[in-house]
């Protein structure tokens, strides 16, 4: 590899894994080292920290970079469909199997398969996955034909797999097979100095009039935040700020308001807030929401706005885990998924 090629590779990796904090620099170095082999990699770290991006970076830096990269979230697929999703099925092999389906293992042949939230996989499926990793072959559901597969497997979890193994929920032998190399992806709280660079990255594709600027007080407050949703939460924050305050410069007070879910849809008043008492501002806000002749309220839209906001809040609190977000909203998991589809809420990568 020439010096120029080395610089290009470094630049590509830095474009994908943003930041110059010690934690991120160490992560990039580990990605370079791991990418040299075909060993299975287990990524550990909190939800929203960017584990799928790390998996993609390992793929792009390795010898399989010209081949397929496929990602599947094990926690988002119903238990009775996970085997078909991974290994494929033959026509008529079960109710609803109207045609032959190629699974992710076959589709990723020669490339990389990323299994996110591996800790959510059913115990019986763990046995089948272990056998596939040991034998490097798969059998489609409803078939007896053994098919060889050549994939690099990268998996990820936000769970404590040690505790899951001790509790009998995860196979220890599968853990060792998945984690030939274990990489820890840092939380955003462990790399707050990267926040300004991440904000610039998220704003790069935005129109100029949608980009917000943050003064020193705003940046200081952003760096003090806990960021339970990690980089995913920061991305949502930047998008929310651009919707409400595109083209403006935000201070610490604006950031504090944006962190408050109940104030997420409020706009700064055109007149200085000091011109009105707190009670007068409250009364004006309430009056604006009251139906009156010539000023009807679109109740359906208001309810949908509240519902969408609470779905986003629950997903942030649940670190993107749909089943936990459904519990917080006292909904069935399938109901929440239907509502997410209705509002176009995408399940984001961990």
């Amino acid at each position: 590899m020439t010096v120029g090629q080395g610089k290009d590779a470094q630049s590509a990796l830095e474009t994908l894994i943003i930041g110059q904090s010690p934690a991120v620099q160490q992560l990039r170095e580990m990605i370079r080292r791991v990418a040299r082999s075909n060993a299975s990699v287990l990524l550990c770290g909190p939800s929203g920290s960017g584990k799928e991006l790390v998996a993609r970076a390992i793929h792009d830096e390795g010898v399989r970079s010209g081949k397929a990269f496929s990602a599947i979230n094990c926690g988002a697929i119903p238990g009775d469909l996970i085997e078909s999703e991974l290994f494929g099925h033959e026509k008529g092999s079960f109710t609803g199997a109207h045609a032959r389906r190629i699974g992710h293992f076959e589709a990723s042949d020669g490339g990389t398969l990323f299994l996110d939230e591996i800790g959510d996989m059913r115990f019986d499926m763990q046995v089948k996955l272990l056998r596939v990793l040991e034998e490097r072959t798969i059998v489609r559901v409803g078939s007896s034909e053994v098919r060889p597969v050549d994939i690099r497997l990268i998996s990820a979890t936000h769970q404590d797999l040690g505790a899951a193994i001790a509790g009998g929920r995860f196979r220890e032998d599968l853990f060792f097979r998945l984690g030939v190399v274990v990489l820890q992806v840092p939380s955003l709280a462990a790399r707050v100095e990267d926040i300004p660079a991440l904000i610039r990255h998220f704003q790069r594709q935005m129109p100029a009039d949608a980009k917000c600027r943050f003064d020193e007080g705003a940046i200081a407050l952003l760096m003090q935040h806990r960021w339970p949703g990690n980089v995913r939460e920061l991305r949502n924050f930047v998008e929310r700020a651009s919707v409400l305050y595109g083209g403006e410069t935000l201070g610490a007070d604006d950031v504090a308001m944006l962190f408050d879910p109940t104030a997420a849809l409020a706009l700064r008043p055109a007149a200085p807030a000091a011109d009105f008492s707190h009670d007068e501002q409250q009364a004006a806000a309430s009056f604006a929401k009251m139906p009156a002749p010539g000023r009807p309220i679109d109740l359906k839209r208001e309810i949908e706005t509240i519902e969408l906001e609470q779905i986003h809040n629950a997903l942030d609190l649940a670190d993107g885990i749909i089943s936990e977000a459904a519990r917080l909203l006292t909904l069935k998991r399938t109901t929440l998924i239907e509502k997410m589809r209705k509002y176009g809420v995408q399940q984001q990568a961990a």
Side-chain angles (χ1 to χ4, degrees):
M1 178 181 290
T2 67
V3 174
Q5 288 174 323
K7 287 182 178 178
D8 289 343
Q10 182 178 9
S11 175
L13 185 54
E14 289 181 350
T15 300
L16 197 59
I17 308 298
I18 306 296
Q20 293 299 326
S21 64
V24 166
Q25 292 189 48
Q26 182 180 14
L27 177 62
R28 280 199 292 261
E29 177 58 27
M30 292 303 296
I31 289 172
R32 293 187 187 99
R33 291 175 180 270
V34 168
R36 299 170 188 165
S37 76
N38 279 315
S40 296
V41 181
L42 176 62
L43 304 176
C44 297
S47 291
S49 56
K51 295 188 288 296
E52 184 171 341
L53 281 177
V54 173
R56 167 64 76 171
I58 293 172
H59 171 77
D60 288 350
E61 290 288 302
V63 296
R64 297 174 181 263
S65 59
K67 303 292 184 178
F69 175 88
S70 183
I72 180 172
N73 189 313
C74 299
I77 299 173
D80 56 344
L81 295 180
I82 185 70
E83 184 174 3
S84 170
E85 287 286 333
L86 291 179
F87 309 138
H89 64 252
E90 297 292 343
K91 180 179 179 180
S93 56
F94 56 85
T95 303
H98 302 301
R100 172 182 290 175
R101 178 189 175 92
I102 302 299
H104 284 272
F105 269 85
E106 281 189 86
S108 305
D109 193 43
T112 302
L113 177 59
F114 174 57
L115 298 183
D116 199 5
E117 300 302 348
I118 192 71
D120 291 339
M121 182 174 283
R122 276 182 1 207
F123 201 82
D124 61 323
M125 274 304 302
Q126 294 176 30
V127 178
K128 295 178 180 179
L129 177 59
L130 178 63
R131 184 169 63 247
V132 168
L133 295 179
E134 289 177 341
E135 299 176 0
R136 295 291 167 175
T137 60
I138 61 102
V139 177
R140 294 179 191 156
V141 177
S143 173
S144 58
E145 182 181 350
V146 177
R147 292 175 170 81
V149 288
D150 172 28
I151 58 108
R152 179 179 198 170
L153 188 69
I154 302 176
S155 54
T157 183
H158 73 283
Q159 296 186 26
D160 181 351
L161 288 187
I165 291 169
R169 301 185 306 277
F170 201 85
R171 292 184 62 96
E172 187 174 32
D173 48 3
L174 178 58
F175 171 79
F176 289 123
R177 178 64 69 174
L178 293 171
V180 175
V181 179
V182 178
L183 289 186
Q184 186 70 37
V185 180
S187 67
L188 183 56
R191 44 177 294 214
V192 291
E193 57 266 55
D194 293 327
I195 287 176
L198 286 165
I199 290 174
R200 289 193 296 272
H201 173 71
F202 295 141
Q203 291 182 333
R204 190 161 290 129
Q205 301 301 321
M206 291 180 179
D209 59 354
K211 296 179 181 179
C212 297
R213 295 171 294 279
F214 298 88
D215 67 19
E216 290 184 6
I219 292 294
L221 190 58
L222 288 170
M223 293 177 71
Q224 293 169 14
H225 186 59
R226 256 187 344 109
W227 297 110
N230 294 287
V231 179
R232 179 190 298 141
E233 182 186 355
L234 177 61
R235 181 175 61 193
N236 290 343
F237 174 89
V238 172
E239 290 178 0
R240 185 160 64 248
S242 72
V243 169
L244 297 176
Y245 301 126
E248 301 183 42
T249 298
L250 305 190
D253 290 344
D254 301 310
V255 168
M257 190 197 74
L258 285 167
F259 278 142
D260 180 2
T262 62
L265 297 176
L267 294 174
R268 288 183 292 186
D275 291 350
F276 302 96
S277 70
H278 176 72
D279 288 343
E280 287 171 333
Q281 292 178 50
Q282 292 260 357
S286 298
F287 177 75
K289 291 290 184 182
M290 291 173 60
R295 192 178 63 246
I297 291 293
D298 188 340
L299 183 60
K300 183 175 183 291
R301 183 174 179 180
E302 290 293 329
I303 292 172
E304 288 179 344
T305 299
I306 295 170
E307 190 172 52
L308 176 59
E309 184 67 24
Q310 292 306 320
I311 288 172
H312 279 300
N313 293 340
L315 286 168
D316 283 344
L317 289 170
D319 291 338
I321 302 170
I322 292 179
S323 56
E324 175 62 14
R327 186 188 67 79
L328 293 172
L329 294 168
T330 64
L331 295 174
K332 291 182 179 179
R333 183 175 176 277
T334 52
T335 302
L336 176 56
I337 291 173
E338 288 174 2
K339 289 182 179 293
M340 289 171 65
R341 287 173 181 161
K342 171 184 174 182
Y343 295 121
V345 177
Q346 300 295 319
Q347 185 181 8
Q348 298 167 339

